[in-house]
Amino acid sequence: MNCPACSYPLVVLEIHDVEVDHCTSCGGVWLDGGELEVLLENATNSHELMASLAEDVEGKEERIRCPICSKKLDKVLYGVERRVLLDICPRNDGLWFDRGELRYVMEMGHFPTDNRVYELISDIFGKSPP
Ligand SMILES: [Zn+2]
Ligand SMILES: [Zn+2]
């Protein structure tokens, strides 16, 4: 599978039974449908976060294509207090996170500070955007 943003081959990482496809070139991350829910399982406000997904009505960013079905990804806003723009497949194949966005999303989940999934995400995907 190739990166939807820069076409570089994606590397598969396994984090606690969740397969994450990572682009080592642009730093983006692809999660198959449903895997975000699994990663957020231990988050204090995961239901609130999943329910927060909303269509991006402005649509200023260029749309990229799904690495699985090649359809254009929809732009969605995610997050209750702070918002981030994610790319989601209209067939629910998965979600694309630009560099730092996955960590940002994990931060919004308010994990316990000793949560190992959150630590791994922080280590692998680095700092959140400014
Ligand atoms: Zn890339
Ligand atoms: Zn798709």
Side-chain angles (χ1 to χ4, degrees), residues 103 106-107 116-127:
R103 182 169 190 257
M106 297 299 283
E107 279 179 357
R116 287 174 57 207
V117 176
Y118 176 69
E119 275 180 23
L120 274 168
I121 297 277
S122 305
D123 284 354
I124 297 167
F125 303 114
K127 292 189 169 66

Side-chain angles (χ1 to χ4, degrees), residues 39-52:
L39 277 178
L40 286 172
E41 207 173 45
N42 298 318
T44 50
N45 56 353
S46 62
H47 292 293
E48 199 183 351
L49 283 170
M50 292 317 297
S52 74

Side-chain angles (χ1 to χ4, degrees), residues 3-8 10 23-28 96:
C3 175
C6 72
S7 301
Y8 203 80
L10 295 172
C23 178
T24 54
S25 173
C26 70
W96 176 254

